[in-house]
Amino acid sequence: MTDLLYARAQMGLSLAFHIVFAAAGVALPVLMVLSDLKHRRTGDADYRKLSEKLAKGTAILFAVGAVSGTVLSFELGLLWPEFMGRYGEVIGLPFSLEGVAFFTEAIFLGIYLYGRERVSPGLHLFSGVMVAVSGAASAFFVTLVNTFMNNPSGFTPTPTGPTDVQPLVAMFSPGWQYQTAHVLLSCYQASAFAMAGIHAFILLKHPGAGFHKKALSIALPLACVTALAQPLVGDLSAKHVAREQPVKLAAMEAHFDTEAGAPLRVGGWPDVETRTVSGSIDLPKGLSILAFADPDAEVKGLNAFPRDVWPPVAKVHMAFQVMVGTGSLMALLALATLWRRWRGREWPHGKGMMRAWLWSGPLGLVALEAGWLVTEWGRQPWIVRDVMRTGEAVTPVPHLAAPFFTFTAVYLFLGVTVLFVLWRQVAGTLPGSKTPGAPADGEVAHAH
C-alpha cells in the first residue's frame, strides 16, 4: 500500500476501535441513571447493584476511550498536518468544547462512583445525570466536526487556506441536526442492544436469574425506542445527503445513470468498470420517493460527476446496505417486542424472543461501524468536501506501515483486555457467584 493508504487505514482503525468505547460512554450512563431511579422508586437492591455495575463498566470504557481518543487527536496532527494547519482555527471551537465535556464527565463520574455514601442522594443522582449529559455533549461536539468536513461552511476558501472564518457558522454546518441526532441515537441503540443481548444470553442459561431479568427490563425500552426512532432520523439525514451531497447518495445506492423515477436497489454488487449493478432487487421509483418524496423526481447518477470525485462505490454501497439491513432487523424486533408487551406478555416472553435478542445483540455495533464507513468512504476523495483532497492533507513522512501495524497490535491487546475485565464484571452477577469479601445477593436484599 502507499503511505496515503496506510495513513487512511490507521485513522480508520483508530476510529473503528474508539467509536465502540465512545458509544458506550454516551449510553451506559443513561442506563446507569435509569437503574438508579428504579432502585430509588422500588427499593430493590438488584437495581442498585445494576447501577453500580454499569458505573464500573462506564469507568472502564471511559478510560479506554480516553486513551484511544487521545491517540486520535495526535493522529490528526501527525498524519494530516495540512488539514489541521489550514483548518484548525475553523474547527477549533467544537474540539475545545468537546474537551470541556470530557473533563466534566470525568469529574462527575468520580463523584458517582465514589460518592454514593459520601454525598446526599440528590447530589449523587445529579452527578449520574451529568455524566450522561456530558457524554452526549462530547459526542455531539465531535460529530459537528465531521459535519463540517462533509458540508464545510463558515469561511471563504482561498489557495492558501480559509479566510473570513466564522467559528459558530462552521460549527453548525448544514445538516448538523440530522447527523448529530443520527449519531447519538446510534450510540444509545448499539449499547442497549448489546446489553440486552448479554442478559438474554444469561437468562437462556439461568431462566430464574432475577437480577438479569431486571437488567433486561432496563435495556429493552431504550433499545426499542431508539430502534424505531433511528429509521426516521436516518430518512431525514438521507434526504439532506440527496440535496447537498448527490455524489455520495449515488454511491450509497449504486446509482450510475441520472433518472426520473429512479428505482431503489436492495442489495446487488456494483461494477464500476461497466457501470452496472448485478444481483440487486429494484423497487420502481423507490429512490425518488425516499430521496425527494416525489415518485417522478430526478436523481443524479454517478455518471453526472467527474470520475475523479467518485467515492469507492462498491465499499460505500455495501456498507450502506449493511447499515440499513441491520437497522431494519432491529426495528422489526422492537416492533415485535412492543406488540407482545402490549398484549400483556412478559418483557420479553419465551425462549424464541430471548434468542432473537441474543442474536441481535451485536447488530447495533455492526450498524454503527457501517454507518461511519458510509460517512467516511462516501466523502472521499475529499478530507474537506470540494475544498481539500485527502491526498493533499497527508503527512510527507514515509514508512507509515510501521505505526499502522504497531497500533493494530496495541488495539488488539486493549480490546482483549477490556473484554476480559468486562466479563469479570458480568460474571460476578451470575447465579451462585460471589465477589470476594461481598455479601451474597440475599444478604444484600435483607440488608436493604
Side-chain angles (χ1 to χ4, degrees):
M1 294 196 302
T2 64
D3 284 335
L4 173 60
L5 287 179
Y6 273 119
R8 288 181 57 195
Q10 183 172 334
M11 199 72 186
L13 175 68
S14 299
L15 277 168
F17 183 82
H18 173 72
I19 199 171
V20 174
F21 302 100
V26 171
L28 285 189
V30 173
L31 294 162
M32 174 185 79
V33 170
L34 291 174
S35 304
D36 203 341
L37 286 170
K38 197 70 176 285
H39 163 65
R40 292 167 189 268
R41 192 171 77 246
T42 65
D44 191 322
D46 279 339
Y47 289 112
R48 169 172 170 154
K49 182 179 178 182
L50 178 61
S51 70
E52 291 171 346
K53 290 287 184 182
L54 287 169
K56 290 178 181 178
T58 299
I60 293 166
L61 296 171
F62 178 83
V64 180
V67 172
S68 57
T70 302
V71 170
L72 274 169
S73 64
F74 277 108
E75 287 179 349
L76 277 173
L78 295 174
L79 295 177
W80 314 103
E82 288 299 317
F83 167 60
M84 293 304 293
R86 290 192 187 185
Y87 292 95
E89 64 174 316
V90 185
I91 60 175
L93 181 57
F95 271 137
S96 299
L97 293 173
E98 191 275 336
V100 173
F102 171 82
F103 284 111
T104 303
E105 184 178 6
I107 291 168
F108 282 104
L109 181 57
I111 295 173
Y112 191 87
L113 275 171
Y114 302 109
R116 187 181 290 271
E117 309 298 340
R118 296 175 174 84
V119 299
S120 67
L123 178 57
H124 184 259
L125 181 62
F126 174 76
S127 67
V129 173
M130 287 304 297
V131 174
V133 171
S134 300
S138 183
F140 175 82
F141 290 124
V142 168
T143 305
L144 290 179
V145 177
N146 189 267
T147 303
F148 167 82
M149 296 167 73
N150 283 283
N151 295 282
S153 63
F155 68 97
T156 301
T158 70
T160 57
T163 60
D164 304 322
V165 175
Q166 303 175 66
L168 281 175
V169 176
M171 186 166 76
F172 294 102
S173 293
W176 67 269
Q177 63 271 50
Y178 308 122
Q179 191 164 339
T180 53
H182 198 44
V183 167
L184 287 172
L185 277 175
S186 68
C187 293
Y188 298 127
Q189 184 179 0
S191 300
F193 266 81
M195 179 174 168
I198 290 168
H199 293 289
F201 170 74
I202 295 172
L203 284 169
L204 283 169
K205 291 183 173 295
H206 307 280
F211 172 84
H212 295 281
K213 286 184 178 180
K214 293 164 189 173
L216 199 59
S217 74
I218 295 294
L220 284 182
L222 184 61
C224 290
V225 169
T226 53
L228 295 178
Q230 188 66 285
L232 302 177
V233 175
D235 178 65
L236 294 173
S237 182
K239 283 179 167 60
H240 174 77
V241 170
R243 294 190 303 270
E244 301 293 332
Q245 303 176 69
V247 67
K248 178 187 281 190
L249 177 76
M252 288 161 54
E253 300 290 352
H255 185 63
F256 287 96
D257 296 320
T258 299
E259 295 180 68
L264 178 69
R265 292 183 175 86
V266 180
W269 183 259
D271 187 329
V272 175
E273 298 304 319
T274 61
R275 305 191 178 193
T276 58
V277 182
S278 59
S280 65
I281 301 172
D282 294 357
L283 306 179
K285 300 191 177 185
L287 183 56
S288 293
I289 293 171
L290 288 176
F292 299 105
D294 179 357
D296 297 315
E298 182 180 89
V299 181
K300 285 188 176 181
L302 287 161
N303 292 332
F305 304 94
R307 181 66 181 83
D308 66 345
V309 300
W310 288 16
V313 179
K315 291 180 180 179
V316 175
H317 178 67
M318 296 310 297
F320 182 67
Q321 296 294 306
V322 169
M323 181 187 72
V324 172
T326 51
S328 299
L329 288 174
M330 288 186 284
L332 289 173
L333 179 58
L335 282 173
T337 301
L338 291 174
W339 168 256
R340 293 171 72 91
R341 177 65 170 170
W342 183 70
R343 294 291 300 273
R345 302 292 184 90
E346 292 182 12
W347 189 231
H349 177 77
K351 287 188 175 182
M353 287 297 292
M354 206 73 77
R355 289 193 184 97
W357 278 99
L358 164 62
W359 289 109
S360 298
L363 293 185
L365 289 173
V366 172
L368 179 66
E369 297 283 9
W372 273 105
L373 288 175
V374 171
T375 299
E376 297 304 295
W377 280 337
R379 192 181 62 247
Q380 297 305 314
W382 307 98
I383 193 167
V384 180
R385 186 172 62 87
D386 296 333
V387 177
M388 174 181 273
R389 287 180 178 263
T390 308
E392 298 170 350
V394 72
T395 179
V397 176
H399 310 301
L400 295 182
F404 170 74
F405 288 111
T406 301
F407 277 101
T408 300
V410 170
Y411 288 142
L412 284 173
F413 172 76
L414 281 175
V416 171
T417 302
V418 169
L419 288 175
F420 173 75
V421 174
L422 290 177
W423 173 247
R424 290 291 300 271
Q425 291 294 315
V426 173
T429 65
L430 295 176
S433 67
K434 180 180 175 182
T435 304
D441 290 348
E443 295 172 313
V444 174
H446 179 73
H448 285 274

